[in-house]
Amino acid sequence: MRNSTSVEESIDALAHRYLDRFRGGRLQAGLTEFVVFGLKQAWACVFGAALLAVIIGARLWYPSDAGLARNDFLTLAAVVIQVLMIASKLETLRELRVIVLFHVVGTVMELFKTDVGSWAYEAEGVLRIGAVPLFSGFMYAAVGSYMVRVFRLFDLRFDRYPRRWITALVAGAIYVNFFSHHYIVDLRWMLLAAVVLVYGRCVMHFRVFRRRFRMPILVSFLLVALFIWFAENIGTWSRAWLYPNQLEGWQAVSIDKLLAWFLLMIISVVLVAWVYKPEPLDASDAAEVPRLRRVAP
């Protein structure tokens, strides 16, 4: 694995030992790929998972009369998590640039959306910009962390990836619409159609353990957006932030938000693609697939 960490190497080594010990056939090889996929996905989510765990813990156990406001505690905890990620080399400085960009893009959106009443945070603490506590930017950074890590962990390759300048135009239009739809017509369905048109032919190739797999990239966008929607439900249950219909009592986040997260995925992919240029499945990779499948049929 390219630029792998010790944890990632340990996951592959454990899978090798399992297959060597049991000399697994088709079933064992398939189950191994499935387990390794889950472990690497969990490892890619480590920043977001740690931040979500802190948010849940603060909801359940943080004392209401503490001298440090809960929002300030969450901000400091997020900073500590980020510092540990860099100090332990779980993220590189190159990846950190993307994560900081996610932080800035997300914070700007937060400032606007809270001002127009799309959602709200508890009015407490000093580590904030206006009505937006600084930990909110780290939630977008968690998405960025996942994106850059999964790009490396699964050695992503692409067939028919659209030109990056076209994807940038679509992403820019999506970002503008998050603001402009409060004042003019909402173009999200037209933008969704544009995403399908631009990315519809693109296929993503990813290596799990010994094999490469393929998936239409639009399916991957939807799966990640669905995962974020589930995490958003946990975040609002923890009262890290609330939508207007949740102020009188928690209820599940509207499924309509899934479309917003799907469109936000396009912005995320474009930001990552400007650091990690999407590469095609080259001849050596294509030749390697049959060989890998013979090793693990």
Side-chain angles (χ1 to χ4, degrees):
M1 186 186 302
R2 301 172 185 176
N3 301 317
S4 58
T5 68
S6 59
V7 174
E8 293 150 17
E9 291 172 355
S10 297
I11 293 173
D12 280 352
L14 183 63
H16 275 296
R17 287 198 299 271
Y18 170 80
L19 289 180
D20 291 343
R21 179 179 177 182
F22 295 100
R23 301 189 180 279
R26 185 181 299 272
L27 178 61
Q28 289 85 350
L31 287 175
T32 299
E33 295 283 349
F34 179 76
V35 172
V36 171
F37 177 80
L39 290 174
K40 288 183 177 180
Q41 283 286 345
W43 184 236
C45 294
V46 64
F47 185 103
L51 184 57
L52 194 60
V54 171
I55 290 174
I56 294 172
R59 168 71 168 84
L60 295 174
W61 299 298
Y62 198 74
S64 58
D65 58 350
L68 181 68
R70 187 178 71 148
N71 282 350
D72 288 348
F73 167 77
L74 291 175
T75 298
L76 295 176
V79 172
V80 169
I81 293 171
Q82 183 65 82
V83 170
L84 290 176
M85 293 285 289
I86 297 299
S88 57
K89 297 182 179 180
L90 299 183
E91 287 174 351
T92 66
L93 293 177
R94 182 185 185 188
E95 293 169 344
L96 181 61
R97 288 185 298 172
V98 182
I99 294 167
V100 170
L101 190 55
F102 271 82
H103 201 300
V104 172
V105 169
T107 299
V108 171
M109 186 183 298
E110 289 283 332
L111 288 168
F112 178 82
K113 289 292 189 178
T114 53
D115 186 61
V116 297
S118 296
W119 56 78
Y121 295 89
E122 293 182 351
E124 60 177 16
V126 296
L127 300 178
R128 59 171 53 246
I129 301 176
V132 179
L134 295 182
F135 80 83
S136 65
F138 286 95
M139 294 188 290
Y140 294 88
V143 176
S145 175
Y146 169 80
M147 296 292 292
V148 295
R149 287 164 63 77
V150 80
F151 201 104
R152 177 176 54 80
L153 270 171
F154 293 96
D155 191 23
L156 300 187
R157 295 290 186 270
F158 303 90
D159 285 339
R160 298 183 294 275
Y161 193 89
R163 294 184 180 277
R164 287 192 293 171
W165 68 267
I166 297 177
T167 65
L169 288 177
V170 174
I174 290 172
Y175 192 67
V176 169
N177 189 69
F178 276 119
F179 300 88
S180 63
H181 81 84
H182 291 278
Y183 308 107
I184 59 176
V185 63
D186 190 350
L187 300 176
R188 69 181 65 191
W189 291 106
M190 292 182 59
L191 292 169
L192 176 61
V195 169
V196 173
L197 179 64
V198 170
Y199 287 95
R201 298 176 62 248
C202 182
V203 175
M204 180 179 70
H205 298 264
F206 58 98
R207 179 189 302 283
V208 177
F209 174 47
R210 289 180 172 178
R211 293 180 56 184
R212 276 195 178 275
F213 299 85
R214 52 182 290 160
M215 175 187 296
I217 197 169
L218 290 175
V219 175
S220 70
F221 293 165
L222 178 60
L223 291 175
V224 176
L226 183 63
F227 182 80
I228 296 173
W229 180 79
F230 281 122
E232 185 179 32
N233 275 279
I234 297 174
T236 54
W237 171 83
S238 301
R239 300 187 67 85
W241 72 96
L242 293 171
Y243 289 103
N245 65 327
Q246 296 173 323
L247 295 176
E248 300 300 324
W250 184 83
Q251 53 185 290
V253 175
S254 170
I255 195 67
D256 293 343
K257 295 294 182 184
L258 187 58
L259 175 57
W261 282 114
F262 181 88
L263 293 176
L264 189 64
M265 280 300 304
I266 309 306
I267 300 174
S268 304
V269 169
V270 168
L271 291 177
V272 174
W274 284 104
V275 174
Y276 290 108
K277 182 181 178 181
E279 299 289 348
L281 191 69
D282 57 32
S284 61
D285 289 322
E288 190 178 30
V289 174
R291 177 176 65 81
L292 290 170
R293 287 179 176 169
R294 286 196 294 271
V295 172

